[in-house]
Amino acid sequence: MNSATFSGEPPATDAESSPFPKPSPGSVSIWQSLEELSWIPRPKLLALRRLGIERVEDLLTHFPRRHEERTEFPNFPREESDVPICLCGEVIKTSLRRFGGWKKIFEATLQESNPNALSEPLVCRWFNLHYVQKMIVTSQRLVVFGKPRLRGKRICMDHPEFEVIENDEEISIHFRRITPIYPATEGLSQRVLRSMIYRLLNEPSWNDAGLEGLAPRNLVPGERRNAIRAIHFPASWEARDAAHEYLVLTEFFTMQMLIASRRAEASVRQGEKHCGAGALLDRFLKSLPFELTAAQSKVIGEIRSDLGASHPMNRLLHGDVGSGKTVVAIAAMLLTVEGGYQAAFMAPTQILAEQHYDVLRRWLEPLGIRVALRTAAREEESGPLPLFAGHEKSSARGEPQIIVGTHALLYDKVSFANLGLVVIDEQHKFGVAQRARLSAREPTPDVLVMTATPIPRTLTMTIYGDLDVSTIDEMPRNRGKIVTAVRDESKLGEVLMFLRTQLEAGRQLYVIYPLIDESEKLDAKAAAAEYELWRERLHPFRCDLLHGRVPPLEKQEIVERFRRCETNALISTTVLEVGVDVPNATAMLIENAERFGLAQLHQLRGRIGRGEHKSYCILLTSAQAKEASAKLAVLERTNDGFEVAEADWELRGPGDLLGTAQSGLPALKIGNLKTDAHLMRRARAVAVSIFERDPRLELPENQRFRRLIVEQQGKTFSNVS
Ligand code: ADP
Ligand code: MG
């Protein structure tokens, strides 16, 4: 077993430096189960559990999603507002109206507490919400939160959040202050949740030792227990902001310590050197019909020094579509082969695996390299038998030196004779868990992950924070430009005429038709209709149809026919998205483009502009989707994948980029990767500096961090395995 630095029990420490001291008897500890608190009604425990709240600490870190200014309420508005506001008033009338048969509107009219001559009542309306009408009656006082809108002459709020004011002794908890609003659930109202947290924070025998700061003081001055108090019940908005920053920094710090520990662990792990002298690589580079770009050479240099080092490589290769990552991968594999090891090249799909296999055969067979293809659908081996030995000293007779396959290869029992390098292509969903699986192999191979998905920097610091990153930030010269244009579908006629000029000039065309998700039901009939339509439109040019339901071998033939220019146009779903490389294809038409994400469109258009010809990407949008189409202007403006990624992120948020399972990191409870990006940078810098000084966390003052990491590892690996 490798020396796993951060697993198992940390060395014994004195109680003082441990962050988790035992509570003294009779007091509440933050690690205690909520069941042990008798004042929490038993049915509420169940509801709390639905929110994932089981321990005292969970409840204390059930952070408000926002706060309301309830110290003083503003006067009722007389105009609309795009910002939601918080108001308080008395219910003077309620009514229930039916419309369209079964639909109902419930209205509650509110009057200001101290009305004056100019005061207007506020009408709150809820559509088809049965429970609301049961909760609201006249003469109650309500706090509502929402956007006031002018409806006819009335000022209305549709579906406001609301809370009924009851004249209980707890009124000071819920009102006359900046009030926290929590994520709630059925059977657990704002009020109940708020009261519980309030009570918890004010437990007399409170043992908040576990709330000691776990992040260093130079990152977060002050006390964690104060921050926790202030995030729930802040004395002022400034106090809330300060508490928020404290807690976000702490959370990011924990995350970055975990990431830094993974890096540190990888760097002390023993591997083997997998690097030959480079003669084979030189021969390969000489045989190429082009010169490497400076960026490609730089990156090959970085990989080369990793391969030559005795600790395992863990590197991400980042390069926009068409930047030439495949050549870099081949260079890495050749160094490995010359070093006497096998290399595996894994693609996410059958089509891509086949494409890589072809390229590798074409380029490497003349060099005497044996390449094999292993996928679920097909197995093949090529290349000469080892007539002349030399760069294959340790591979057994007949063993392929490079194995191309789909990612399934990873999980197969396929045994490699002596695997030295694994290259994983086009896979931004290839997360920590999968990488961990590779690194667990004995002996540990070097790993190179390649992606064209441009990732905003904050995300690189997290998802790929444990990897070294190489970037190809330069496109090969003599690349034809890609011109992108957004067109309304009513212009299809003109667009077709233009596309035909491309076909007539001998170029080829992709048509992407709108089936966003391959799992979406596509019956053969609809596909056939699409195909017929396009055959007519493009007559007499030859078309082929590609979609997710086409069996793998047939798919392969279709792509091959297109590559050999036997077909002029490929009508396809997004199965084309990654990696397919046909330089003669210079035009792409994307139907219903507004239904795709920007990043996905950028990937798609990366299929063209791969040769010396100027290329054209036309995004056809439907007239009904004006707003959705507007965002596409970004693609007209720039071909830079990073700019597109940032814009896409703005629009959609990182959602699918940061699945927990993928990152293997704990879910964030308070920090926001987008709005708090600057805090992530600070937290990262501190975490990195701790590990620089003490890579194995051996110093006494770092023992609490060691504990922190062991704790976090327990949490994360349970949800990725
Ligand atoms: P990607 O980074 O998207 O995987 P590929 O590796 O498929 O890109 O390369 C795209 C195309 O560019 C291929 O046809 C490849 O042969 C070619 N190519 C790669 N590097 C260069 C270069 N330095 N100069 C010219 N063409 C190149
Ligand atoms: Mg590629």
Side-chain angles (χ1 to χ4, degrees), residues 68-183:
E68 281 180 2
E69 175 57 87
R70 295 186 181 177
T71 324
E72 242 177 285
F73 294 99
N75 290 112
F76 280 17
R78 311 187 58 209
E79 267 150 31
E80 301 203 333
S81 159
D82 277 333
V83 207
I85 52 177
C86 185
L87 300 169
C88 178
E90 186 179 327
V91 181
I92 51 173
K93 194 175 88 182
T94 63
S95 69
L96 187 66
R97 289 193 289 130
R98 281 164 203 282
F99 65 102
W102 54 272
K103 295 179 201 157
K104 288 182 209 160
I105 302 182
F106 175 69
E107 288 189 358
T109 306
L110 263 55
Q111 179 142 71
E112 266 189 76
S113 312
N114 303 307
N116 59 39
L118 292 175
S119 300
E120 301 258 3
L122 177 80
V123 182
C124 298
R125 313 193 296 182
W126 290 269
F127 300 84
N128 293 322
L129 278 185
H130 187 61
Y131 73 92
V132 175
Q133 78 209 44
K134 287 197 294 195
M135 293 171 73
I136 297 177
V137 293
T138 43
S139 83
Q140 256 173 354
R141 283 178 56 208
L142 282 192
V143 174
V144 293
F145 180 81
K147 296 177 187 174
R149 293 272 175 233
L150 215 51
R151 297 275 179 263
K153 285 191 178 146
R154 307 190 301 176
I155 293 276
C156 293
M157 238 185 219
D158 289 344
H159 287 254
E161 292 182 29
F162 68 97
E163 207 172 309
V164 178
I165 302 186
E166 282 153 33
N167 279 328
D168 53 50
E169 82 266 21
E170 287 188 339
I171 192 141
S172 66
I173 301 177
H174 308 287
F175 300 98
R176 299 189 195 119
R177 63 162 70 247
I178 297 171
T179 309
I181 307 295
Y182 294 99

Side-chain angles (χ1 to χ4, degrees), residues 487-501 534 537-538 589 591 618 620-621:
R487 291 286 178 271
D488 190 272
E489 62 188 358
S490 63
K491 297 284 188 337
L492 181 62
E494 286 162 45
V495 168
L496 282 176
M497 282 208 309
F498 171 75
L499 293 176
R500 297 181 76 96
T501 64
W534 278 100
R537 284 172 179 166
L538 298 174
L589 174 74
E591 288 190 78
I618 296 160
L620 216 55
T621 62

Side-chain angles (χ1 to χ4, degrees), residues 18 74 183 211 245 343-344 393 414 450 475 494 520 712 715:
S18 160
L211 285 177
E245 179 168 316
K393 49 183 181 223
V414 179
M450 309 202 294
M475 285 288 176
E494 286 162 45
E520 239 176 84
Q712 290 299 318
K715 270 187 202 166

Side-chain angles (χ1 to χ4, degrees), residues 325-326 356 425-426 579 610:
K325 293 184 291 295
T326 314
H356 284 329
D425 190 22
E426 300 291 359
R610 304 193 138 235

Side-chain angles (χ1 to χ4, degrees), residues 220-275:
V220 285
E223 302 277 336
R224 181 172 164 84
R225 69 182 69 107
N226 294 341
I228 294 267
R229 288 208 161 102
I231 197 70
H232 291 290
F233 296 96
S236 67
W237 289 97
E238 293 73 44
R240 192 210 59 152
D241 291 347
H244 184 261
E245 179 168 316
Y246 184 107
L247 293 165
V248 172
L249 277 170
T250 314
E251 180 169 65
F252 285 176
F253 173 75
T254 306
M255 184 184 248
Q256 289 298 340
M257 284 300 278
L258 189 61
I259 291 167
S261 75
R262 285 185 191 151
R263 281 181 75 106
E265 197 164 343
S267 72
V268 300
R269 196 181 294 148
Q270 277 304 309
E272 282 156 42
K273 300 181 183 179
H274 303 119
C275 198

Side-chain angles (χ1 to χ4, degrees), residues 290-293 296 321-326 363 476 479 581 610:
F290 48 75
E291 295 270 298
L292 292 184
T293 61
Q296 283 171 319
V321 278
S323 60
K325 293 184 291 295
T326 314
W363 282 348
R479 240 342 128 64
D581 182 38
R610 304 193 138 235

